[in-house]
Amino acid sequence: GSLRRGVFTSKSVPFKAKKAIYTGLILAILFHGAEAWSLTEKDLSRLQCFHAQCVRAMCRVTKYQTWKKHIPTFYLLNTLDLNPIEFYLDQRQI
């Protein structure tokens, strides 16, 4: 929560720095022990939702704006040069 208010929604922090913090800190904590996970579709969906929320926060786009202006998540991922959550999960489980 503190990162969202302090770093992710800041205009002065570049996308490259936001990406480095997200992949280095948030995903490392999120996927702790992922090597032994047995994911269900519900769990994967929750991870995808969390990833989308973080991407929207880093791009300073609300869920309403994505709905109103039809902004797809993959466009925001490309803006930040991030991959879908499945990529990071597969990387940790290999």
Side-chain angles (χ1 to χ4, degrees):
S2 296
L3 283 175
R4 174 172 279 194
R5 282 179 249 119
V7 176
F8 286 172
T9 58
S10 174
K11 290 181 182 179
S12 62
V13 178
F15 286 144
K16 206 171 201 178
K18 291 178 184 183
K19 176 188 174 185
I21 292 170
Y22 181 69
T23 56
L25 185 65
I26 304 298
L27 290 181
I29 294 169
L30 181 66
F31 290 140
H32 179 73
E35 298 84 12
W37 288 358
S38 176
L39 283 180
T40 62
E41 287 294 320
K42 184 179 177 182
D43 294 333
L44 182 60
S45 175
R46 292 176 73 190
L47 286 172
Q48 290 169 338
C49 289
F50 174 76
H51 188 58
Q53 285 175 344
C54 291
V55 167
R56 283 194 307 268
M58 287 186 275
C59 290
R60 298 177 40 93
V61 175
T62 64
K63 193 169 186 173
Y64 176 76
Q65 290 170 328
T66 58
W67 174 77
K68 186 75 172 175
K69 297 180 182 179
H70 304 287
I71 303 170
T73 303
F74 69 85
Y75 175 77
L76 299 175
L77 287 171
N78 287 338
T79 303
L80 292 168
D81 193 29
L82 285 172
N83 295 309
I85 195 73
E86 293 87 353
F87 172 81
Y88 299 108
L89 182 61
D90 290 343
Q91 202 173 31
R92 287 288 284 212
Q93 289 183 335
I94 289 179

